[in-house]
Amino acid sequence: MSKTNPSLVPSGRSLSLLGKANLQQYVVYLGFLAIFLFFAIVLRDSGFLTVRNLSNIVLQTAPVTIMAIGLVFVLSAGEIDLSIGSIVAVSALAGAVAMNGYGITAGIAAGLCAGLLIGLVNGVLVAYVRLPSFLVTLATMGLFAGVARSLTDLRSIPVTNSAFTGFFGSGTLLGIPSLVWWTVGAICIGHIVYRHTRFGAHVLATGDNNRAASVSGISVPRIRLTVLMMSGVLASLAGLLYAGRLQAAKYTLGETDLMTVIAAVIVGGTLLNGGKGSIIGALVGSLMMGMLNNGLILMGLSVSDQMIVRGLIILAAVAVSLREKSR
Amino acid sequence: MTVTDVSPVLKLTDIRKNFDAVTAIENFSLDIFPGEIVALVGDNGAGKSTLIKIISGVYAPSAGTITIEGETVTMASASMARAHGIEVVYQDLALADQQTVYMNMFLGREPVNRFGLLDRGKMISDTEKLVQELDVRIPSAHATIRDLSGGQRQGVAIARATHWASKLILLDEPTAALGVAETAKVEAIVQSLKTRNIGVLIISHSLDQVFKLSDRICVLRRGKQIGIRKTSETDKNEIVSMITGVN
Ligand SMILES: Nc1ncnc2c1ncn2[C@@H]1O[C@H](COP(=O)(O)OP(=O)(O)OP(=O)(O)O)[C@@H](O)[C@H]1O
Ligand SMILES: [Mg+2]
């Protein structure tokens, strides 16, 4: 509409809110930039700025980014999925065992099916039995961490199929590493589904006000089931990416990722209580977490110090982004 | 209107609703005709909102039948009521607070382009046209619901209902939170629905409003249907004593 609409009166109040909304969206980018500049200066002689190191950060972050996409959908729908770390381990192990026995197709299928099935269990319990997702996925997190341990008796399973390790790990296409293709592809698809489809709109409405969604004809249980299944499949894809890059599967894969993924998603502008989020923000958030990991290692901090510093920075980042949002 | 339509758009017969031991509605029967405004009045807790939720498919009635344009329907869900051309403005507005005005306007019915992607341009321009027609003063179609005032939110809910309704609109205290000017605006919108031949069932605690708008008045007291009066043949005293049960 080009002519001025008398009904659309601008008000000072809404303009200032608009300003705040923009600032809030930029917090993650500012934080990313600040951490990048800090490491670039402090670690200028330690190789932080080399192409090799920077691309390593992107490659190492790929599984977290993939999981973060799933979590954006889950949180936006007003639910949570704490079981993603365990799904990573179970999927990687199931995939590796099946591949060593029956070949690459069976391996990929087994890995993805593991995530799909765990997501289905989570989803049915949350959507149709109406148990809180926090408790359901807390339980399945523990349950499948145990399954991962018992699956191969704590042993590590080698992944030697070169087609697999190329496709999911060290390979390149057009000179670009496969992990970058996975990241870019998943982010693009995730963003389009989230922002530009009816499903994405219904996920947001469900997390925002499930009663409003329901009286508007949206099947709230179906949305809840779908996001938890998506999260399961994406976590199992992350498991396959780990297995491909490390050329081995072990029960410890994904063990510490839950906190990183949640932090990446929250810092990236997704609300913990649903109704609002960003896929691109989650990408920047997880790159920020990856950069933090990398920089702290290059700075020579001990593992325990790394954990403490990372925890504090995540706390600060989350506090800032939540503070911006609550206004 | 020149022609009087004889068949009711909505016919409720012996509707009853129990919540466990509580009987919220008993033996309620009512016909609403196209272009007719029926007011539903009664004290707090009389069962008015419950009745609206039964018609809109949120609650299933414990007994009784709902007939829409001669066809008996089982209203299994809110989307079925919508498919029958029934729209509702709920007392506790069913809006998604963190979404935009245009997303709420099209919630559950978002148009898509030929690639299956959301057609935001259409949603925005339709919303702008609608709020202009109804003179709902909101900052923009892009505004987030929670940044709007109570009156503006009510405006969005009413605009949504009038946009999509083809047969019947149910309004649960649509002006309870509104100022004088906004109330007058909503009343004008409700009256304009007559020309579209849409039936209206409006709940209101304001008898002035009820007498100004309605063709008939239906009184509920503690779930019991006390009676139905033609507005032109009754007065406030009679309605008040029907509501309270005191002469
Ligand atoms: N979901 C429910 N479960 C149990 N009881 C309910 C439920 N909904 C309503 N009731 C009861 O049914 C009765 C009618 O409630 P209802 O909301 O229909 O009243 P109302 O006429 O709309 O009142 P008000 O004017 O205050 O909005 C009340 O006694 C209420 O406590
Ligand atoms: Mg009520």
Side-chain angles (χ1 to χ4, degrees), chain B residues 24-246:
Chain B
I25 303 279
E26 41 188 291
N27 292 331
F28 187 95
S29 299
L30 175 69
D31 292 350
I32 300 177
F33 293 88
E36 184 190 32
I37 300 176
V38 178
L40 185 59
V41 297
D43 268 334
N44 294 121
K48 306 179 298 294
S49 295
T50 304
L51 193 73
I52 282 208
K53 287 176 181 168
I54 289 171
I55 302 170
S56 67
V58 174
Y59 297 145
S62 309
T65 54
I66 303 173
T67 311
I68 295 171
E69 291 194 324
E71 180 196 348
T72 300
V73 294
T74 317
M75 214 63 92
S77 70
S79 39
M80 274 188 68
R82 290 170 19 139
H84 280 102
I86 300 177
E87 288 293 321
V88 193
V89 176
Y90 290 96
Q91 189 170 15
D92 42 354
L93 304 169
L95 298 173
D97 273 2
Q98 295 174 95
Q99 315 306 313
T100 58
V101 170
Y102 71 83
M103 273 306 208
N104 271 279
M105 202 64 87
F106 286 88
L107 201 59
R109 290 184 271 225
E110 304 83 356
V112 292
N113 61 23
R114 68 199 137 100
F115 304 110
L117 303 179
L118 289 179
D119 191 346
R120 283 179 200 273
K122 180 177 165 47
M123 289 195 270
I124 291 163
S125 63
D126 283 8
T127 300
E128 283 174 347
K129 211 159 55 202
L130 198 66
V131 296
Q132 189 169 22
E133 269 168 31
L134 298 181
D135 197 20
V136 179
R137 294 185 171 267
I138 52 169
S140 118
H142 295 271
T144 305
I145 296 293
R146 71 164 181 189
D147 297 340
L148 301 181
S149 74
Q152 291 170 326
R153 288 176 207 211
Q154 189 64 268
V156 172
I158 290 173
R160 177 170 68 181
T162 55
H163 178 59
W164 293 104
S166 58
K167 292 197 187 116
L168 182 66
I169 290 191
L170 315 172
L171 299 147
D172 198 345
E173 300 191 27
T175 59
L178 302 187
V180 178
E182 276 74 17
T183 298
K185 212 178 280 174
V186 169
E187 288 172 351
I189 293 171
V190 170
Q191 254 154 351
S192 75
L193 293 169
K194 271 182 177 288
T195 61
R196 282 171 55 195
N197 229 17
I198 291 173
V200 175
L201 181 63
I202 181 169
I203 296 177
S204 175
H205 285 292
S206 154
L207 287 187
D208 284 338
Q209 180 171 66
V210 165
F211 274 83
K212 195 177 339 168
L213 289 178
S214 70
D215 299 305
R216 287 187 297 151
I217 302 172
C218 173
V219 182
L220 264 185
R221 191 197 314 148
R222 300 212 193 146
K224 283 199 184 66
Q225 187 172 21
I226 302 302
I228 303 174
R229 296 285 181 272
K230 281 203 163 140
T231 308
S232 55
E233 297 170 2
T234 186
D235 56 27
K236 280 186 194 164
N237 286 336
E238 184 187 18
I239 297 298
V240 169
S241 65
M242 287 169 81
I243 291 172
T244 56
V246 181

